[in-house]
C-alpha cells in the first residue's frame, strides 16, 4: 500500500498568522482581509488559532483530541488577543479554555482537550466512585475486557483479520493493542472517488470569498454549490495555499473550507454564519498525511433558521483524520 506521508513545510497556523506570546497566558495574532470568508474572518482559521494557543499554553498536554468553538460576537479582520486557562484532568488529559478578543470584547471562545498516550498497564484517568473506593478498578477493567472479547467471539470478529483495522461495513477488531497496552481501533474506508490529480480545481469567487485564494479545492463527488441540486452534500480534495503542516490547527481550517452544506440546493448565496463548531481528532497526527485531504461535508438538517452540517476528513488511504459538526444560523 502506498503511503502519502506528511511533508513538513515549516509553515503552520502559528507562523502564518504570527501568533506571538505577549504576556503570561496571553497571545496575539493578525488575520488579514485575504482570509475573509462569507461573512467575516474564516471561522476555521480562528478555531485553528485557538488550537495553537492551547498547545502553547500546555506544551506538555499531548495531542489535540477535541475542539469546541463558540462564536460570541462578529469577529472582524485585524488583530486578535487570546488568553488561556489550563486545567489538568487526571494523569493524561489537559483541558484548555481559550478566549479570543477584539477591542476588549470576547468574540470567540473555545475549549480544547489535549491528551497524552498512556503508558503500558495504566488505567483510565477516572474510574467510577465505587471502584475507586473499593480499589477494584482493575477487576472492573478485566470484566469489561472479557465482555468485549465475548461479544467479539460471538460476532466472529477478529478471526484472521488484522487487529485495530475498521472495515467499510463498520466492523473492527477492538482487541488490537498498541505498545502502550491501550485498545485501538482505526477507521479506514476505501477511497472510491477520483484521485486529486484527476479532479478539476473549483475556485470560490474571490470578490465574495477572498479566503478561496488560500484553498485548492478539487470536487471529487456530489453536487457543486449554488447549482439548485436536490442533494445537500459536497466532497472535494482540499489543500491549503500555501500548504501548511497537516496538524490539528490546519485540520480546523480544512474542516471549514467548503461552503455551508445547504449551498448545493441554492441558486444564490445566503448568509449562513457559524455559531458553534466542534472538531474531533481520530489520530494524534504523529504520522499525518500530506495534503490534499478528502473533505466531505453534508447538511444534516435545516429548519427554523438553523442549519447543522457534518464534515469528515480522510487521507488518501481512507484513514479518518477528523470529524467536525457546525451549527449555523440561516440569515437569508
Amino acid at each position: 500500500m502506498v503511503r502519502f506521508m506528511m511533508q513538513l513545510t515549516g509553515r503552520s497556523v502559528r507562523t502564518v498568522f504570527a501568533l506571538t506570546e505577549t504576556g503570561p497566558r496571553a497571545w496575539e495574532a493578525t488575520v488579514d482581509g485575504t482570509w475573509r470568508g462569507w461573512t467575516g474572518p474564516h471561522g476555521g482559521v480562528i478555531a485553528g488559532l485557538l488550537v495553537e494557543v492551547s498547545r502553547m499554553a500546555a506544551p506538555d498536554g499531548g495531542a489535540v483530541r477535541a475542539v469546541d468553538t463558540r462564536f460570541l460576537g462578529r469577529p472582524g479582520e485585524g488583530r486578535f488577543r487570546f488568553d488561556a486557562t489550563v486545567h489538568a484532568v487526571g494523569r493524561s488529559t489537559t483541558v484548555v479554555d481559550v478566549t479570543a478578543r477584539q477591542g476588549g470584547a470576547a468574540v470567540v471562545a473555545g475549549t480544547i482537550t489535549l491528551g497524552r498516550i498512556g503508558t503500558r498497564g495504566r488505567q483510565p484517568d477516572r474510574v467510577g466512585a465505587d471502584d475507586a473506593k473499593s480499589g477494584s478498578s482493575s477487576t472492573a477493567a478485566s470484566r469489561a475486557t472479557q465482555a468485549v472479547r465475548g461479544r467479539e467471539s460471538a460476532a466472529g470478529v477478529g478471526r484472521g483479520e488484522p487487529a485495530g483495522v475498521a472495515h467499510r461495513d463498520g466492523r473492527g477488531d477492538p482487541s488490537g493493542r498498541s505498545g502502550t497496552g491501550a485498545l485501538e481501533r482505526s477507521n479506514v474506508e476505501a477511497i472510491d472517488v477520483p484521485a486529486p490529480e484527476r479532479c478539476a480545481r473549483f475556485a470560490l469567487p474571490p470578490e465574495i470569498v477572498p479566503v478561496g485564494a488560500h484553498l485548492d479545492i478539487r470536487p471529487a463527488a456530489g453536487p457543486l454549490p449554488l447549482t439548485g441540486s436536490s442533494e445537500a452534500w459536497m466532497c472535494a480534495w482540499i489543500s491549503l495555499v500555501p500548504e501548511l503542516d497537516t496538524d490539528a490547527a490546519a485540520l480546523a481550517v480544512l474542516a471549514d473550507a467548503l461552503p455551508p452544506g445547504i449551498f448545493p440546493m441554492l441558486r444564490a448565496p445566503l448568509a449562513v454564519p457559524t455559531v458553534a463548531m466542534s472538531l474531533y481528532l481520530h489520530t494524534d497526527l504523529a504520522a499525518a498525511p500530506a495534503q490534499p485531504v478528502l473533505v466531505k461535508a453534508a447538511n444534516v438538517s435545516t429548519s427554523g433558521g438553523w442549519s447543522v452540517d457534518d464534515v469528515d476528513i480522510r487521507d488518501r488511504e481512507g484513514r479518518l483524520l477528523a470529524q467536525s459538526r457546525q451549527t449555523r444560523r440561516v440569515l437569508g
Side-chain angles (χ1 to χ4, degrees):
M1 181 182 293
V2 177
R3 289 191 174 272
F4 298 90
M5 303 306 292
M6 177 173 63
Q7 302 294 321
L8 292 176
T9 66
R11 293 184 297 270
S12 65
V13 169
R14 186 182 307 185
T15 60
V16 166
F17 298 98
L19 182 62
T20 305
E21 188 169 6
T22 58
R25 296 284 191 265
W27 292 262
E28 287 186 355
T30 300
V31 180
D32 64 36
T34 68
W35 290 91
R36 183 171 62 82
W38 295 92
T39 57
H42 189 259
V45 166
I46 300 176
L49 284 166
L50 298 184
V51 169
E52 291 285 38
V53 168
S54 74
R55 295 176 62 200
M56 296 173 76
D60 298 322
V64 176
R65 306 295 176 175
V67 183
D68 180 24
T69 305
R70 303 168 299 282
F71 292 84
L72 308 178
R74 186 169 182 175
E77 300 164 14
R79 181 170 297 180
F80 288 81
R81 291 181 170 82
F82 304 88
D83 55 71
T85 303
V86 179
H87 311 273
V89 183
R91 291 183 291 259
S92 60
T93 306
T94 300
V95 174
V96 184
D97 291 321
V98 183
T99 302
R101 303 177 188 275
Q102 287 186 311
V107 290
V108 185
T111 299
I112 296 87
T113 301
L114 309 173
R116 295 185 296 276
I117 296 175
T119 57
R120 182 180 296 275
R122 176 173 284 180
Q123 298 299 320
D125 288 341
R126 304 179 73 176
V127 298
D130 293 340
D131 287 342
K133 291 177 182 177
S134 64
S136 61
S137 60
S138 60
T139 301
S142 176
R143 289 173 180 169
T145 300
Q146 292 173 9
V148 168
R149 289 175 176 168
R151 289 194 297 272
E152 216 177 81
S153 177
V157 174
R159 298 176 183 174
E161 297 174 345
V165 176
H167 302 274
R168 186 161 189 145
D169 62 4
R171 295 182 299 115
D173 181 2
S175 65
R177 294 178 181 272
S178 70
T180 65
L183 290 172
E184 286 201 6
R185 181 180 181 274
S186 58
N187 185 310
V188 181
E189 288 188 358
I191 296 297
D192 55 1
V193 301
E197 297 80 11
R198 296 175 55 197
C199 299
R201 185 175 182 183
F202 172 79
L204 295 169
E207 66 276 11
I208 301 176
V209 194
V211 72
H214 292 291
L215 303 169
D216 186 315
I217 300 176
R218 297 175 181 269
L224 294 176
L226 307 180
T227 56
S229 173
S230 61
E231 299 180 304
W233 65 282
M234 295 160 285
C235 181
W237 295 101
I238 305 180
S239 301
L240 295 173
V241 180
E243 184 175 345
L244 309 183
D245 293 342
T246 310
D247 57 13
L251 287 176
V253 181
L254 290 162
D256 195 35
L258 288 173
I262 200 71
F263 266 41
M265 301 186 71
L266 304 178
R267 290 289 185 182
L270 295 176
V272 192
T274 300
V275 176
M277 175 181 175
S278 60
L279 181 72
Y280 303 96
L281 283 299
H282 290 271
T283 170
D284 61 9
L285 297 173
Q291 296 169 28
V293 293
L294 188 64
V295 181
K296 180 179 180 181
N299 180 251
V300 179
S301 65
T302 299
S303 64
W306 292 87
S307 188
V308 177
D309 290 348
D310 278 353
V311 175
D312 286 359
I313 304 178
R314 295 183 182 271
D315 65 15
R316 291 181 66 153
E317 293 181 351
R319 181 175 55 133
L320 184 62
L321 302 176
Q323 291 177 300
S324 176
R325 171 161 283 192
Q326 290 197 39
T327 298
R328 305 178 187 268
R329 188 77 172 95
V330 182
L331 300 180

